[in-house]
Amino acid sequence: MAGVSDAVVSYTLNGRAPVAPATAERVREAIRTLGYRPNHTARALKSGSSGAIALIAPRGEDPAFTNPFFTEFAATAEDLARRRGFAFYMASYALDRETVVDRLQEFADRQVDGALIIPDDRRDRRSVAAIDAVGVPWVQVDTVDPIPGASTVGADLYRGGVDATTHLADHGHRRIGYVGHVGDEPRHRAWQDTCRRLGLDPGPALPARFTREGGYAAASRMVRAGDLPPALFAASDLVALGVLRAFHEAGVAVPDDVALVSFDGSWEAEYSWPALTSVRQPIEEMADAALTQLLAADSADSSEPTDPPDAADGLEASDGLAQRHRRERHSVFPGRLVLRASCGTH
Amino acid sequence: MAGVSDAVVSYTLNGRAPVAPATAERVREAIRTLGYRPNHTARALKSGSSGAIALIAPRGEDPAFTNPFFTEFAATAEDLARRRGFAFYMASYALDRETVVDRLQEFADRQVDGALIIPDDRRDRRSVAAIDAVGVPWVQVDTVDPIPGASTVGADLYRGGVDATTHLADHGHRRIGYVGHVGDEPRHRAWQDTCRRLGLDPGPALPARFTREGGYAAASRMVRAGDLPPALFAASDLVALGVLRAFHEAGVAVPDDVALVSFDGSWEAEYSWPALTSVRQPIEEMADAALTQLLAADSADSSEPTDPPDAADGLEASDGLAQRHRRERHSVFPGRLVLRASCGTH
């Protein structure tokens, strides 16, 4: 509207470079007309001068950071955030939506300028709006599918499930079982699809919560039922650690009686017995992308005036939607199979 | 000085109850004379209305919360703090004193009203003063000995070491080794003293860092040296997990070849193979006492005018010293031996 670049608008507002008086007046006039308001916390986030980033993680039956994947993600994100000049804090929330918003509001009240959120489940439009209403830039991590209006980062769980199942098939196993969440879970679907594609006999699929106790209970049921497949894909390291304990107690040898491949690649998988072959989560890539998207989301949100929304999108022509539309982004990274002892000798 | 109770001073300042005008004037006069200034963040902490407590933990080679003891302590303290109406945040610091102060300052800038600090080593007077200078109430946890001028909480590591060593002796072992920090370490001294008291042959004492890798390296050296004692006390669960891995790889059976007792009682000790008999840290007791002392320290610090320091103490008669003197407190809690499989059959 002022006929100048974004940079000139910034210089007019922050005085970091000279702007001709007539140009500055045009910019100020456009700002008045458009009702543009710079967001100070967002600006602090972008400049990094006094910025702080929070990580908000869910807790279920176990505290959030008893999951080594969350802990490792938090530590990596903290490192990367501090290297970019930001303070970094962690807090957890219970398994309901209101509490995520509460935590974010608490952080907002304490000059925390952006948040990484680990979800309890998939966000719908309603919860995106509730989180947005706090007014702090946020990126949701550990997320499978894109979410309309949100900036998200995730691991390719489906591909990881394919890699794990295929690796067990490569060891010569013609029957492979599954332990973990079932139904609308990419690792479960990947196991099913891979068994079908390779003409394998899908072994039992045992539903298990993503905890040590969940894996222990599921494998104990498997032992009692007397239906042990020669190979098993456990959808998380915690589940696999529970499976190992149940098998040890029952005298089932891993990998000789049952070959086992897991998912997460955490340090606990390295120090279990036997050490777990596991699809390593792309933790570094996810943490780096989440921070990059957080800073980009901020920039799109409020540090520069936004373009008018494109009418062809069919979106309501409000500033909020235009901002959300611009920052919407989903990054997915593949895991990497780490070979150890639980799948058999190489 | 005003000849009134602490409560009347509080009422004069906060207006929560009526105070006779002449009395209020005496109080205000005394405040002017003594230079007393109420501390607003401390008051917020005491009232709990908008309080937040931070946990600051050290990181060495590993991220802070890769240590399950730290993680479990953090989760328990978070629960207890939230139950008392406080927000709770975690951050870590590198292994140097300046950074503890930096972290605390960052939290102070963000309206965090008190901090629990897990130390990297024992605090001396100089570092107590540096942390005090930030002006935020703090309590140091995971601390063995009292520290002049500080409020501290710890586990009775010495007694835990005695219990662990005695338990191995009760299994009939006449030679018991040790893996962990050596020298000025209560668990090491407890092992030495108990072996001497019971007339046992102290097995090798292998120095190890308190990490999985440290335990693995130490036990691998033990295996290579061919000097395996029939019983071994590992001074932390992480060390014991590394020991287990080295023994598994070398075909050394636990507990049949070497009986093992550990220290911490974390969830990793429950899901290792074999499950570790371990002295459980008094996590709930420590977290509760730390929060209680944090609130008490705050109250002594600034919510009420302090008594003049007692001249008999030989302390400089300054307000700062008087406050510090009053809040100085050290609480120690015993651990509890949790019997599992690694020490032998019961």
Side-chain angles (χ1 to χ4, degrees):
Chain A
M1 185 173 198
V4 299
S5 67
D6 288 348
V8 169
V9 177
S10 290
Y11 295 149
T12 304
L13 290 167
N14 63 30
R16 281 185 203 143
V19 176
T23 309
E25 186 43 45
R26 279 210 313 283
V27 170
R28 280 187 221 103
E29 175 64 27
I31 284 170
R32 277 190 296 272
T33 306
L34 295 168
Y36 169 74
R37 286 185 309 141
N39 178 327
H40 290 279
T41 56
R43 222 154 48 182
L45 178 62
K46 198 181 183 193
S47 72
S49 56
S50 66
I53 292 169
L55 173 69
I56 306 179
R59 48 188 307 171
E61 299 157 72
D62 290 334
F65 296 106
T66 63
N67 185 331
F69 163 58
F70 289 177
T71 309
E72 204 172 345
F73 180 86
T76 304
E78 178 176 32
D79 272 352
L80 294 176
R82 292 215 172 261
R83 245 178 260 160
R84 294 181 191 212
F86 292 90
F88 191 88
Y89 309 120
M90 290 167 272
S92 61
Y93 69 96
L95 287 171
D96 61 87
R97 276 181 194 129
E98 286 64 29
T99 321
V100 180
V101 174
D102 290 350
R103 288 292 173 283
L104 192 60
Q105 186 62 59
E106 277 178 10
F107 276 122
D109 292 344
R110 292 185 171 80
Q111 290 88 56
V112 168
D113 311 295
L116 306 182
I117 297 177
I118 301 181
D120 51 337
D121 57 11
R122 301 190 193 175
R123 300 281 138 205
D124 59 22
R125 278 169 183 274
R126 188 177 152 273
S127 60
V128 166
I131 299 173
D132 273 348
V134 176
V136 167
W138 59 285
V139 170
Q140 183 173 296
V141 300
D142 196 25
T143 297
V144 175
D145 297 313
I147 298 170
S151 181
T152 48
V153 171
D156 192 338
L157 304 182
Y158 185 89
R159 179 167 158 184
V162 170
D163 290 349
T165 311
T166 304
H167 183 71
L168 288 165
D170 288 346
H171 271 283
H173 300 297
R174 306 299 300 162
R175 183 164 185 253
I176 299 171
Y178 171 89
V179 190
H181 284 187
V182 296
D184 190 17
E185 160 59 49
R187 286 161 284 196
H188 181 234
R189 277 191 285 114
W191 163 79
Q192 284 180 313
D193 294 351
T194 306
C195 285
R196 192 179 307 125
R197 190 170 50 78
L198 297 178
L200 304 177
D201 180 12
L206 279 103
R209 288 171 290 121
F210 279 149
T211 58
R212 297 171 186 83
E213 292 74 15
Y216 179 74
S220 299
R221 285 199 306 275
M222 192 182 278
V223 167
R224 280 197 303 273
D227 182 19
L228 290 176
L232 188 62
F233 169 40
S236 90
D237 282 351
L238 294 184
V239 169
L241 290 163
V243 168
L244 279 181
R245 182 177 164 191
F247 283 180
H248 276 304
E249 289 180 5
V252 175
V254 175
D256 293 344
D257 297 332
V258 180
L260 185 62
V261 170
S262 175
F263 195 98
D264 277 340
S266 63
W267 53 74
E268 282 195 53
E270 194 178 345
Y271 277 85
S272 64
W273 187 256
L276 291 166
T277 291
S278 187
V279 178
R280 162 105 184 138
Q281 292 259 14
I283 286 179
E284 293 74 14
E285 295 88 338
M286 286 193 290
D288 188 61
L291 292 169
T292 299
Q293 288 180 207
L294 189 64
L295 300 169
D298 162 53
S299 156
D301 266 7
S302 41
S303 283
E304 298 160 8
T306 51
D307 292 331
D310 187 344
D313 284 349
L315 292 174
E316 205 183 326
S318 83
D319 247 25
L321 275 177
Q323 289 164 13
R324 198 182 298 163
H325 192 62
R326 195 191 258 206
R327 83 170 179 209
E328 189 171 315
R329 186 173 165 190
H330 182 57
S331 306
V332 175
F333 299 92
R336 182 175 52 85
L337 190 70
V338 178
L339 301 179
R340 295 200 184 98
S342 65
C343 59
T345 312
H346 288 99
Chain B
M1 185 173 199
V4 300
S5 68
D6 288 348
V8 169
V9 177
S10 290
Y11 294 150
T12 305
L13 290 167
N14 63 32
R16 280 186 203 142
V19 177
T23 309
E25 184 45 43
R26 280 212 311 284
V27 171
R28 281 190 219 100
E29 175 65 27
I31 284 171
R32 277 191 295 272
T33 308
L34 295 168
Y36 167 73
R37 285 184 309 138
N39 178 327
H40 289 280
T41 56
R43 223 155 44 181
L45 179 63
K46 198 181 186 194
S47 72
S49 55
S50 66
I53 292 169
L55 173 70
I56 306 178
R59 50 187 306 170
E61 300 157 72
D62 290 334
F65 295 106
T66 64
N67 185 332
F69 163 57
F70 288 178
T71 308
E72 205 172 345
F73 180 85
T76 305
E78 178 176 31
D79 273 352
L80 296 176
R82 292 212 172 261
R83 244 177 264 161
R84 294 181 190 213
F86 291 91
F88 191 88
Y89 308 121
M90 292 167 267
S92 62
Y93 68 95
L95 288 170
D96 60 90
R97 274 181 196 131
E98 285 65 29
T99 322
V100 180
V101 174
D102 291 348
R103 285 294 171 283
L104 192 60
Q105 186 62 58
E106 279 177 8
F107 276 122
D109 293 344
R110 292 187 171 80
Q111 289 89 58
V112 168
D113 312 295
L116 307 181
I117 296 176
I118 302 181
D120 51 336
D121 56 12
R122 299 189 195 177
R123 301 279 139 204
D124 59 20
R125 277 168 186 274
R126 186 175 153 273
S127 60
V128 166
I131 298 173
D132 274 348
V134 176
V136 167
W138 59 284
V139 170
Q140 184 175 295
V141 300
D142 195 25
T143 297
V144 175
D145 296 313
I147 298 170
S151 181
T152 49
V153 171
D156 192 339
L157 303 182
Y158 185 89
R159 178 166 158 186
V162 170
D163 290 348
T165 310
T166 304
H167 184 72
L168 287 165
D170 288 346
H171 271 281
H173 300 296
R174 306 299 301 160
R175 182 164 186 254
I176 299 171
Y178 172 88
V179 190
H181 283 187
V182 295
D184 190 16
E185 160 59 49
R187 286 161 284 196
H188 182 233
R189 275 191 285 113
W191 163 78
Q192 284 180 314
D193 294 353
T194 306
C195 285
R196 190 179 306 124
R197 189 169 51 78
L198 298 178
L200 304 177
D201 179 11
L206 279 103
R209 289 170 289 122
F210 278 149
T211 59
R212 297 171 185 84
E213 292 74 15
Y216 179 74
S220 299
R221 284 198 307 277
M222 192 183 277
V223 168
R224 280 198 302 274
D227 181 20
L228 290 176
L232 188 62
F233 169 39
S236 90
D237 282 350
L238 293 185
V239 168
L241 290 164
V243 168
L244 279 181
R245 182 177 163 189
F247 283 180
H248 276 304
E249 289 179 3
V252 175
V254 175
D256 294 344
D257 297 331
V258 180
L260 185 62
V261 171
S262 176
F263 194 98
D264 277 338
S266 63
W267 52 75
E268 281 195 54
E270 193 178 345
Y271 278 84
S272 64
W273 188 257
L276 291 165
T277 291
S278 187
V279 178
R280 162 105 184 140
Q281 292 259 15
I283 286 180
E284 292 74 14
E285 295 87 338
M286 287 193 290
D288 187 62
L291 291 169
T292 300
Q293 289 180 208
L294 188 63
L295 299 170
D298 162 53
S299 156
D301 265 7
S302 40
S303 282
E304 298 160 8
T306 50
D307 291 332
D310 186 344
D313 286 347
L315 293 174
E316 203 182 329
S318 83
D319 246 24
L321 274 178
Q323 289 165 11
R324 200 181 298 164
H325 192 60
R326 193 191 260 206
R327 81 167 180 209
E328 189 172 316
R329 186 172 167 191
H330 182 58
S331 306
V332 176
F333 299 92
R336 179 175 55 84
L337 190 70
V338 177
L339 300 180
R340 296 202 185 96
S342 66
C343 60
T345 311
H346 290 99

